[in-house]
């Protein structure tokens, strides 16, 4: 008998069921590994998300700056054209002007065609520097008035100089004064009263150590962008010529925060949801503008006081009330901008943004975590849409 | 669950995707056989279970590295053997127990009655062998390694491997003869 072969056959035919605990232990080990891979993937992805967020924010900022610059440019251009149109009307009434030789050439060529003059324009350039108003009027009637704005722009570029005691600056000044006279009416305090309704789409944040650290790529908690909405009414009146006082009553104010966190070996999605009703008192600096689209610009600065009506937390789909662990009241600052466009009679539609920052630690603490260890502040950036009615 | 219905190729694809079902099927398909091998190397059942468990964890973690160049069973078996050796090294500092001294091996007469012994009885006797001798004997008799390969693997001399094998064989035959009588 070949002992080795015999032994090999015996051993290899000895199939034995290992205890079930072996497989269970293998599974546990694989679970731990898989959890780590999940965490690693998650952290890598979060790092990518942060980069995307930063690049997106930078891109949006650049677009906004460029758009703003373009908008200002368009407004400025429109204003200059208006001034030039105004200037043109005045210039055309004057007896004598000195103009750019290039323009004189254009006028001379036109005159030649009309009056069959034989002299070349270059030979008589000096003689043509002074033109009668009748000649100019003929030319304007024939050509320039039809393309008034374009031609005026050309005149402007060519260094159009007005003589006979006319200065562009003075014209501009007069023009501004005219506009101001139209725009401004002397207002006394509490003479204008308005009210309306507002809706706000809010990007809300609950700022505390966990959510702030969760914005970084090296933390196990991942803070996600959260959104809510506000609905309310407002009433306001003027207290000086340009400053209004406005009282907002936001009946529904949502403040939410979504995040993912690692609990008991699992990543779960969590959210904190707060429903407030809040009152805000703000001062609004208004300036009426007729540039581009006629409307009212308003800068808003004020404070708010919020009452917490309901608060709950959702962890992995399970909701629980957290009303007792958060303060009933919240207060803070409010900053905003609004642009109101009159749409019909005394009705205007306004749009803009507001930023709210809570000054109060809304977390009141529980048996496990005292308030000072989890300081939490509300914050939000809102896009606003409002409808306004002027009573007086 | 009839694990034989699943081909190695299917199991490989599933395991490479970390699919737990396929991992379990692969385990159940090969665990019985591999456990028997673990028992032959380990001195006791607890160690055999540890070896099996650790080996399959290695299998699942490194299955992406399996190149399908040989049978899957052979690959798993190599992992089992290496894990078993690691365990034995940790347990006994194996080399210390493998003496370089050539022992005079007296031939033991083989009794035909041992052929009738149950496998479990044989394994029980194998477990009584000194760790070093048992490993050398298993590597030679079960895996078919040459003494040169065993010497490389265990970092011993070829002569030591031969002497340890002969020693293990003699001891085992003695024990089996006694048992069969």
């Amino acid at each position: 008998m070949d002992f080795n072969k015999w032994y090999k056959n015996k051993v290899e035919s000895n199939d034995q069921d290992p205890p079930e605990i072996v497989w269970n232990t293998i599974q546990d080990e694989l679970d731990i590994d898989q959890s780590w891979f999940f965490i690693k993937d998650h952290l890598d992805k979060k790092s990518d998300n942060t980069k995307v967020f930063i690049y997106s924010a930078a891109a949006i900022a650049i677009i906004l700056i460029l758009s703003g610059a373009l908008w200002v440019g368009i407004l400025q251009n429109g204003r200059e054209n208006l001034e030039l149109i105004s200037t043109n009307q005045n210039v055309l009434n004057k007896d004598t002007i000195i103009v750019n030789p290039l323009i004189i050439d254009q006028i001379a060529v036109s005159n030649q065609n009309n009056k069959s003059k034989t002299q070349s324009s270059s030979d008589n350039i000096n003689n043509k520097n002074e033109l009668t108003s009748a000649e100019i009027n003929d030319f304007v009637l024939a050509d320039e008035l039809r393309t008034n704005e374009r031609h005026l722009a050309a005149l402007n570029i060519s260094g159009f100089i007005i003589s006979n005691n006319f200065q562009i600056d003075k014209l501009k000044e007069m023009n501004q004064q005219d506009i101001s006279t139209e725009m401004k009416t002397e207002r006394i305090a509490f003479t204008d009263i308005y009210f309306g309704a507002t809706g706000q789409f809010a990007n809300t944040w609950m700022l505390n150590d966990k959510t702030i650290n969760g914005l970084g790529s090296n933390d196990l908690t991942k803070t996600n962008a959260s959104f809510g909405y506000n609905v309310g009414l407002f009433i306001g009146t003027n207290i000086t010529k340009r400053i209004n006082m406005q009282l907002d009553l936001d009946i529904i104010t949502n403040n939410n925060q979504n995040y993912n966190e690692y609990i008991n070996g699992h990543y779960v999605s969590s959210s904190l949801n707060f429903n407030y009703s809040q009152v805000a008192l703000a001062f609004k600096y208004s300036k009426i503008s007729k540039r581009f689209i006629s409307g009212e610009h308003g800068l808003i600065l004020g404070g708010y006081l919020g009452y917490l009506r309901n608060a709950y937390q959702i962890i992995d789909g399970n909701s629980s009330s957290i009303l007792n662990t958060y303060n009933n009241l919240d207060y803070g600052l409010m900053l905003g901008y609004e642009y109101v466009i009159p749409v019909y009679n005394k009705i205007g539609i306004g749009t803009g943004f507001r930023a709210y920052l809570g000054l109060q630690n809304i977390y009141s603490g529980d048996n496990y975590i005292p308030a000072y260890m989890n300081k939490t502040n509300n914050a939000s950036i809102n896009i606003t849409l409002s409808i306004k009615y002027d009573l007086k | 669950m009839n694990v034989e219905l699943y081909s190695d190729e299917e199991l490989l694809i599933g395991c490479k995707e970390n699919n737990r079902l396929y991992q379990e099927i692969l385990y159940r398909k090969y665990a019985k056989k591999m456990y028997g091998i673990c028992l032959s190397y380990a001195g006791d059942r607890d160690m055999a279970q540890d070896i099996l468990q650790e080996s399959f964890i290695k299998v699942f973690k490194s299955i992406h590295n399996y190149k399908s160049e040989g049978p899957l069973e052979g690959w798993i078996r190599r992992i089992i053997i290496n894990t078993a050796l690691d365990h034995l090294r940790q347990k006994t500092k194996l080399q210390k127990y493998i003496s370089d001294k050539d022992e005079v091996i007296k031939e033991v007469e083989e009794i035909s009655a041992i052929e009738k012994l149950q496998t479990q009885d044989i394994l029980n006797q194998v477990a009584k062998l000194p760790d070093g001798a048992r490993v050398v004997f298993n590597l030679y008799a079960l895996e078919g390694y040459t003494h040169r390969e065993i010497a490389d693997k265990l970092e011993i001399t070829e002569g030591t491997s031969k002497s340890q094998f002969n020693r293990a064989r003699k001891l085992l035959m003695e024990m089996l003869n006694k048992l069969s009588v």
Side-chain angles (χ1 to χ4, degrees):
Chain A
M1 182 183 78
D2 183 343
F3 182 76
N4 295 349
K5 202 173 175 184
W6 169 84
Y7 174 70
K8 187 177 179 178
N9 286 338
K10 283 282 182 187
V11 170
E12 291 193 340
S13 62
N14 179 38
D15 286 0
Q16 287 201 29
D17 273 325
E20 200 56 30
I21 194 171
V22 175
W23 170 242
N24 291 336
T25 314
I26 291 169
Q27 281 201 98
D28 289 347
E29 192 74 23
L30 293 173
D31 280 344
I32 291 166
D33 264 28
Q34 210 156 355
S35 290
W36 166 244
F37 288 131
F38 182 80
I39 292 164
K40 193 171 173 296
D41 284 353
H42 183 78
L43 291 174
D44 289 347
K45 201 188 280 181
K46 193 165 73 166
S47 177
D48 292 344
N49 285 345
T50 309
K51 281 180 194 164
V52 169
F53 176 77
I54 291 166
Y55 293 147
S56 304
I60 288 167
I62 290 167
I63 289 167
L64 284 174
I65 290 165
L66 290 175
S67 305
L70 186 66
W71 189 58
V72 168
I74 289 167
L75 283 180
Q76 193 64 30
N77 193 30
R79 185 179 173 186
E80 281 175 3
N81 285 341
L82 283 172
E83 284 169 358
L84 284 166
I85 290 165
S86 176
T87 305
N88 179 46
Q89 296 305 318
N90 290 320
V91 167
L92 291 175
N93 292 329
K94 298 299 159 190
D95 289 332
T96 306
I97 58 171
I98 299 169
V99 295
N100 187 308
L102 184 67
I103 304 304
I104 295 302
D105 280 348
Q106 291 176 4
I107 295 169
V109 169
S110 178
N111 284 341
Q112 275 181 328
N113 291 337
N114 291 335
K115 296 177 183 177
S116 305
K117 286 184 180 179
T118 53
Q119 284 180 300
S120 70
S121 60
S122 60
D123 291 341
N124 296 298
I125 191 74
N126 292 330
N127 294 334
K128 283 182 227 131
N129 278 344
E130 291 193 358
L131 300 172
T132 65
S133 63
E135 284 173 321
I136 291 169
N137 281 336
D138 286 346
F139 179 76
V140 168
L141 286 169
D143 186 33
E144 284 188 21
L145 285 176
R146 284 198 299 270
T147 55
N148 200 3
E149 286 183 25
R150 200 169 52 192
H151 193 178
L152 283 166
L155 288 170
N156 190 34
I157 292 160
S158 305
F160 187 64
I161 301 164
I162 303 164
S163 66
N164 201 17
N165 299 325
F166 262 101
Q167 300 293 327
I168 284 177
D169 289 343
K170 283 185 180 176
L171 284 168
K172 283 180 179 175
E173 212 173 280
M174 286 169 62
N175 203 10
Q176 279 179 340
Q177 281 172 358
D178 289 344
I179 292 166
S180 298
T181 309
E182 287 171 18
M183 279 171 21
K184 294 173 190 171
T185 52
E186 282 296 324
R187 292 194 294 179
I188 307 165
F190 309 118
T191 51
D192 293 346
I193 296 173
Y194 60 90
F195 69 91
T198 183
Q200 301 180 23
F201 177 69
N203 173 211
T204 62
W205 296 92
M206 312 283 297
L207 301 174
N208 58 28
D209 285 347
K210 183 188 270 187
T211 57
I212 292 170
N213 289 337
L215 293 169
S217 60
N218 296 321
D219 199 87
L220 287 179
T221 301
K222 183 196 171 194
T223 306
N224 302 317
S226 313
F227 300 96
Y229 62 90
N230 300 358
V231 178
L233 304 168
F234 62 87
I235 185 165
T237 183
N238 65 305
I239 54 172
T240 69
K241 193 166 64 180
R242 289 198 182 278
I243 297 175
N244 295 330
M245 188 169 66
Q246 184 172 308
L247 184 72
D248 286 31
L249 174 62
D250 290 330
I251 301 156
I252 300 170
T253 301
N254 291 148
N255 267 31
N256 306 321
Q257 184 65 67
N258 299 327
Y259 55 94
N260 295 98
E261 63 181 338
Y262 194 66
I263 299 176
N264 298 331
H266 297 283
Y267 256 110
V268 293
S269 60
S270 298
S271 70
L272 295 165
N273 303 276
F274 295 81
N275 296 328
Y276 284 94
S277 288
Q278 72 183 28
V279 178
L281 184 64
F283 294 98
K284 184 174 168 186
Y285 178 82
S286 301
K287 189 176 180 187
I288 295 167
S289 170
K290 285 193 173 177
R291 292 174 189 172
F292 205 49
I293 301 171
S294 176
E296 185 185 66
H297 298 278
L299 281 175
I300 302 161
L301 181 65
Y304 72 88
L305 179 69
Y307 174 73
L308 183 63
R309 291 184 293 109
N310 191 17
Y312 56 98
Q313 183 169 24
I314 300 173
I315 300 175
D316 213 17
N318 299 316
S319 177
S320 59
S321 174
I322 49 171
L323 193 58
N324 292 332
T325 52
Y326 284 84
N327 286 317
N328 286 335
L329 293 177
D330 179 33
Y331 58 86
L333 295 175
M334 178 180 76
L335 178 72
Y337 164 80
E338 192 175 39
Y339 185 58
V340 181
I341 304 164
V343 288
Y344 176 73
N345 203 0
K346 292 179 174 182
I347 297 171
I349 287 182
T351 183
F353 71 86
R354 284 190 186 187
Y356 292 85
L357 178 64
L359 301 176
Q360 156 92 327
N361 174 16
I362 58 168
Y363 182 67
S364 60
D366 57 19
N367 293 335
Y368 306 103
I369 306 170
Y372 72 89
M373 285 185 71
N374 186 30
K375 284 180 182 169
T376 306
N377 296 87
N378 279 318
S380 68
I381 298 170
N382 304 5
I383 295 169
T384 65
L385 184 66
S386 61
I387 184 162
K388 175 185 166 190
Y389 182 80
D390 286 312
L391 272 178
K392 293 183 183 177
Chain B
M1 186 190 297
N2 188 356
V3 294
E4 299 302 329
L5 291 174
Y6 295 85
S7 69
D8 285 353
E9 287 72 25
E10 277 178 280
L11 294 176
L12 272 173
I13 292 167
C15 289
K16 283 181 179 179
E17 290 171 353
N18 279 328
N19 186 310
R20 183 54 52 82
L21 176 69
Y22 284 91
Q23 286 173 334
E24 185 172 354
I25 294 167
L26 179 74
Y27 170 80
R28 298 206 181 281
K29 188 173 179 181
Y30 291 108
K32 286 182 184 179
K33 190 165 195 173
M34 298 303 156
Y35 187 50
I37 294 167
C38 291
L39 284 169
S40 69
Y41 279 87
D44 55 71
R45 285 187 169 268
D46 285 346
M47 187 190 268
Q49 287 167 20
D50 286 349
I51 293 167
L52 185 72
Q53 176 187 308
E54 196 178 319
S55 300
F56 268 95
I57 289 167
K58 284 180 185 170
V59 165
F60 293 130
K61 283 182 180 178
S62 57
I63 202 151
H64 297 93
N65 301 327
Y66 174 64
K67 304 289 184 203
S68 304
E69 284 167 355
L72 181 62
E73 184 183 331
W75 183 69
I76 296 171
R77 188 172 177 142
R78 277 201 299 280
I79 291 174
I80 297 269
I81 305 298
N82 289 331
T83 309
L85 294 180
D86 287 344
H87 267 256
L88 289 165
R89 277 196 196 97
Q90 280 173 12
K91 183 191 165 198
T92 61
K93 300 286 178 199
L94 199 57
Q95 284 85 347
K96 243 172 51 177
Y97 286 85
I98 302 174
S99 166
D100 280 346
K101 266 197 301 183
D102 281 341
E103 293 178 26
V104 181
I105 309 294
K106 249 174 51 181
E107 264 312 310
V108 177
E109 197 185 338
E110 190 181 291
I111 301 169
S112 59
I114 65 168
E115 285 184 47
K116 291 169 189 169
L117 287 172
Q118 295 294 313
T119 308
Q120 193 53 54
D121 295 330
I122 299 164
L123 287 175
N124 288 341
Q125 302 311 309
V126 168
K128 290 177 185 169
L129 291 172
D131 287 339
R134 187 172 67 244
V135 168
V136 173
F137 180 74
N138 277 327
L139 288 175
Y140 188 89
L142 285 181
E143 311 308 324
Y145 286 2
T146 63
H147 286 297
R148 163 59 47 201
E149 288 168 331
I150 294 169
D152 289 343
K153 211 167 185 62
L154 300 180
E155 295 173 4
I156 53 175
T157 64
E158 201 174 335
T160 305
S161 174
K162 282 178 185 168
S163 66
Q164 288 296 314
F165 172 73
N166 288 330
R167 185 182 170 213
R169 191 170 186 271
K170 181 198 147 207
L171 287 170
L172 187 59
M173 284 181 75
E174 278 176 356
M175 288 187 286
L176 292 176
N177 281 337
K178 270 186 202 171
L179 195 68
S180 62
V181 170

